[in-house]
Amino acid sequence: MKLNEIWELDAVFTNYLMPQQKLVSKERAGAKVIKKHDTAQTPHQRAIAHPDIHKRPVITMNAAFKHIKPLALSRQINALTAQLETLTTAKQAPRTKPTLSSPAHAMSHTS
């Protein structure tokens, strides 16, 4: 359940707060590849700027954006990640070393 919560919060963080550059073009000049990117924008900014989007989704996305508190969101993600890490390390079985038989014992079984 914690992992699902982290993914949900991370989706909000990524879609509303993390600007990303999109690849506009890529040209090859021999062995060299020249890539051109547009200016960094969040997926939210790209969505509301899209010419085919209707007003209602824009209003909904903007309302959701106004309620986001970046620092609180980041702290919540970090806390859930720490809880998840604690759970995984607490449930791990103790590591045991494989038993090695002595060379004399191994030789007696091969003949």
Side-chain angles (χ1 to χ4, degrees):
M1 291 308 244
K2 299 265 185 241
L3 190 55
N4 289 341
E5 292 176 52
I6 292 170
W7 282 341
E8 287 176 25
L9 295 173
D10 188 58
V12 171
F13 193 83
T14 301
N15 288 327
Y16 286 97
L17 302 172
M18 295 211 39
Q20 303 164 10
Q21 287 185 315
K22 294 290 181 182
L23 185 64
V24 176
S25 68
K26 184 164 65 169
E27 297 176 19
R28 181 174 291 277
K32 186 174 182 178
V33 177
I34 300 168
K35 297 178 182 178
K36 293 184 182 174
H37 296 83
D38 65 355
T39 56
Q41 290 183 317
T42 65
H44 168 248
Q45 291 168 327
R46 289 184 194 284
I48 62 174
H50 196 278
D52 295 337
I53 193 163
H54 298 287
K55 284 189 178 201
R56 187 169 301 267
V58 170
I59 292 169
T60 305
M61 285 188 282
N62 285 338
F65 179 68
K66 287 180 184 176
H67 292 293
I68 296 172
K69 295 181 174 125
L71 190 55
L73 182 64
S74 180
R75 285 181 180 152
Q76 196 173 3
I77 291 170
N78 288 339
L80 286 169
T81 304
Q83 289 174 15
L84 184 63
E85 186 176 355
T86 301
L87 282 173
T88 57
T89 55
K91 290 187 178 185
Q92 286 181 349
R95 296 181 186 219
T96 58
K97 293 183 179 179
T99 55
L100 300 175
S101 55
S102 64
H105 185 260
M107 291 293 230
S108 64
H109 289 292
T110 56
S111 2

